[in-house]
Amino acid sequence: MASSKREQAHIERRLVATLTEACETAKAEIIGFSWLTHEVDYARFPSSLRVIWVFNTEAEKNQALANGQGERMLELTTFALTEAEVLVSPVAAHVQFDSEEQCQRVNGGNWVQRLARGKS
């Protein structure tokens, strides 16, 4: 658990910077990948950290995962978290894959609602 709001803000800035770099790399390499986000509850940090990789369609997500691109996204996530000095293990337990298409279908395009479903 981060000890202060200031420390939490510092961690958040590092996460945003390193995950943005991972996102830009993935957009150049992985067909159909669109964006990523992360969520964290600092009262349960780092165990609460989730990194969500979002594709345009379910078909593109499934194709990328079938082609081994999930491993590449895990590598990018691991590198980003290491650079941000956030250690979690296994990293795969903190990574999810989703799609704009599925959010539209299930949540009417409401990402706030969709992301809230994964909180525990």
Side-chain angles (χ1 to χ4, degrees):
M1 176 171 77
S3 60
S4 70
K5 292 286 184 186
R6 185 176 185 176
E7 186 179 346
Q8 292 171 10
H10 184 66
I11 293 167
E12 186 67 19
R13 282 191 302 275
R14 289 192 322 246
L15 280 170
V16 168
T18 61
L19 288 171
T20 297
E21 192 172 318
C23 179
E24 293 305 315
T25 299
K27 287 194 311 191
E29 294 179 8
I30 302 170
I31 295 172
F33 171 71
S34 185
W35 56 279
L36 68 77
T37 192
H38 74 284
E39 289 195 327
V40 64
D41 173 359
Y42 281 101
R44 298 182 306 117
F45 181 78
S47 64
S48 65
L49 177 65
R50 290 191 311 147
V51 178
I52 303 98
W53 293 79
V54 181
F55 287 80
N56 294 313
T57 68
E58 278 295 294
E60 288 170 328
K61 178 187 85 171
N62 293 336
Q63 184 66 43
L65 295 176
N67 288 338
Q69 295 299 315
E71 290 302 315
R72 177 63 176 144
M73 289 178 276
L74 287 176
E75 289 173 5
L76 290 168
T77 304
T78 300
F79 183 77
L81 296 181
T82 300
E83 288 293 302
E85 301 174 5
V86 174
L87 304 177
V88 294
S89 184
V91 170
H94 298 269
V95 173
Q96 296 175 336
F97 304 102
D98 208 339
S99 72
E100 289 280 359
E101 178 182 39
Q102 195 67 358
C103 179
Q104 187 63 42
R105 180 180 301 130
V106 176
N107 303 93
N110 184 335
W111 276 101
V112 172
Q113 179 187 69
R114 185 159 185 80
L115 294 173
R117 86 194 185 321
K119 292 182 180 176
S120 47

